[in-house]
Amino acid sequence: MRPTTRVLSPVSLLRAVMTARIHRTNRLQKRALIQPSFDYKFIRDNADTLLENAINRNVRNARPHRVGELYDEYRALLSQTNEHRATLNAASKEMGVLTKGGKPPKDQSVAVSAEDREAKAQAMAGLRERAKVAKLAIQDIKTKLDAVETQLRNEAAKLPNISHPQTPIGDEAQARIVRVNGDLHNVKTVPKNGIDTRDLSSAEFQDHYDLALNLGIVDMEAGAKVAGSRFHYWRGPGALLELALVQYAMTRATAAGFIPHITPDAARTSVVDACGFRPRSNAEDTQAGEAGHLGEASQIYRMTPVAEESHGEEHVADPLCLVATAEIPLVAMKQQQILNHTSLP
């Protein structure tokens, strides 16, 4: 009987290719989540300073001293793991000596007689038991180590960045003027050419909000209806002005040797977290409130698909967040890479 050959239509062939690519992409995406990196030793050694900084920034759930305790516990467990690994490695080397003519380590001598099979069997049994005990100990410590590391990372992530020493502490009333450029603050009307304060027009200065409304380049009412009070529409010259500013910035950056990128508008939670931002779910905010702890408000929005189950288990474990700033996807684009400084602008 002659074998039959199935001919796929162009549509079916395209669907098959796309399905294969999706499966391949899903396999590539199943990787260990990126974790943020913290200097735990610095936190432990500067716990008092970091606690004062957190209080000054009105962050009440920061516990740098707890980070120090967990770090010491983590190091102790890691030391125990290394000791058991050394025992396991030594047992493996000795077993290699007893089988297939392995050479003993330089600092050890294992006397094995070819005729004494019983002694050799007993020695192998003892070494296997020693290796078994070491493996079980490593597994037990690893469970504790993973739990401590998770607590350590979570506690360290609660610590806010260190404020500049000259940053005023308190509300806006404590703010001070650091520097003033130009002389426009000393005149009441706008210079005719926008710069020379000796030749003034009759036009008074306007707040940027009033100026935009008077020029008709922004629609705040429509933005509030569509997305809320903090959003707006640029319209007409306002939209063109924004595009012109983007083009101006890109032109200057390109001339300086930078390569323009238009990045994704979303990134995985693990990526956002590893970049130093702190995505939080509603459940985490509720738990913090019930516990009486106040942390810095998260400015990251997590995306929840309508049919979340259709995106697979990995999406649920590592959901997407709106990035708000391009630095997050730009940093993630070079994740786990070592960059040569000569390749930078």
Side-chain angles (χ1 to χ4, degrees):
M1 182 177 179
R2 297 179 60 185
T4 58
T5 302
R6 182 184 178 187
V7 179
L8 296 177
S9 66
V11 175
S12 299
L13 182 59
L14 178 60
R15 186 182 295 116
V17 171
M18 292 301 296
T19 301
R21 288 183 176 179
I22 292 173
H23 288 324
R24 180 176 180 272
T25 302
N26 290 339
R27 286 197 303 270
L28 292 175
Q29 289 177 346
K30 290 184 177 179
R31 75 277 190 263
L33 301 184
I34 302 172
Q35 300 295 349
S37 178
F38 299 99
D39 189 343
Y40 298 120
K41 184 177 183 300
F42 176 85
I43 296 174
R44 183 196 63 184
D45 296 343
N46 298 273
D48 291 340
T49 301
L50 293 174
L51 179 59
E52 181 182 3
N53 175 73
I55 294 173
N56 290 339
R57 296 191 58 160
N58 201 30
V59 179
R60 305 299 180 184
N61 66 339
R63 300 191 297 172
H65 293 87
R66 178 56 179 160
V67 174
E69 295 171 358
L70 290 169
Y71 178 55
D72 289 338
E73 184 179 353
Y74 177 82
R75 292 182 64 199
L77 290 171
L78 199 60
S79 178
Q80 294 176 29
T81 301
N82 292 335
E83 291 176 2
H84 288 298
R85 278 211 181 92
T87 299
L88 181 61
N89 291 336
S92 298
K93 288 181 180 180
E94 291 185 38
M95 283 190 284
V97 171
L98 295 177
T99 57
K100 299 181 180 179
K103 295 182 180 181
K106 294 181 180 180
D107 58 342
Q108 299 180 25
S109 59
V110 181
V112 179
S113 173
E115 288 89 32
D116 194 352
R117 296 174 180 265
E118 184 65 25
K120 181 177 179 179
Q122 291 179 358
M124 287 294 292
L127 291 171
R128 289 194 184 98
E129 182 63 24
R130 194 197 309 175
K132 179 181 177 181
V133 171
K135 285 181 180 179
L136 291 175
I138 291 173
Q139 292 175 0
D140 180 58
I141 295 175
K142 185 180 184 305
T143 302
K144 299 177 182 177
L145 197 63
D146 291 343
V148 171
E149 186 177 16
T150 299
Q151 294 180 59
L152 184 59
R153 190 181 301 114
N154 290 338
E155 289 294 335
K158 297 176 184 177
L159 301 177
N161 290 333
I162 300 176
S163 300
H164 191 278
Q166 297 180 9
T167 302
I169 299 173
D171 56 18
E172 292 185 5
Q174 307 302 319
R176 64 178 184 271
I177 297 175
V178 177
R179 183 179 68 246
V180 176
N181 293 327
D183 195 39
L184 293 178
H185 60 289
N186 290 324
V187 296
K188 295 182 179 180
T189 58
V190 181
K192 290 182 178 180
N193 64 357
I195 300 175
D196 189 356
T197 57
R198 295 171 299 180
D199 188 12
L200 303 177
S201 68
S202 59
E204 296 183 353
F205 287 101
Q206 297 183 52
D207 177 85
H208 69 279
Y209 176 78
D210 295 330
L211 179 63
L213 288 180
N214 293 335
L215 292 175
I217 63 175
V218 66
D219 192 335
M220 304 295 296
E221 184 178 350
K225 288 180 180 179
V226 173
S229 59
R230 299 175 63 182
F231 297 90
H232 62 274
Y233 284 90
W234 288 117
R235 60 187 300 272
L240 296 177
L241 176 61
E242 177 166 342
L243 293 175
L245 290 172
V246 171
Q247 183 62 32
Y248 171 76
M250 284 294 185
T251 301
R252 295 293 300 270
T254 303
F258 291 91
I259 301 175
H261 287 74
I262 296 179
T263 68
D265 295 324
R268 300 186 186 279
T269 297
S270 60
V271 170
V272 175
D273 197 13
C275 287
F277 294 83
R278 185 64 176 163
R280 286 207 309 266
S281 63
N282 292 336
E284 290 175 310
D285 288 333
T286 302
Q287 291 173 2
E290 293 174 349
H293 298 311
L294 295 177
E296 286 189 311
S298 176
Q299 297 179 342
I300 300 297
Y301 292 86
R302 181 173 283 126
M303 301 168 62
T304 303
V306 176
E308 189 165 309
E309 66 277 3
S310 66
H311 293 266
E313 295 181 359
E314 186 192 7
H315 180 84
V316 177
D318 195 14
L320 293 174
C321 295
L322 293 175
V323 296
T325 172
E327 65 189 84
I328 296 176
L330 280 175
V331 169
M333 186 173 66
K334 300 296 184 179
Q335 61 183 297
Q336 298 177 336
Q337 298 181 35
I338 297 177
L339 304 180
N340 190 324
H341 69 92
T342 59
S343 66
L344 302 177

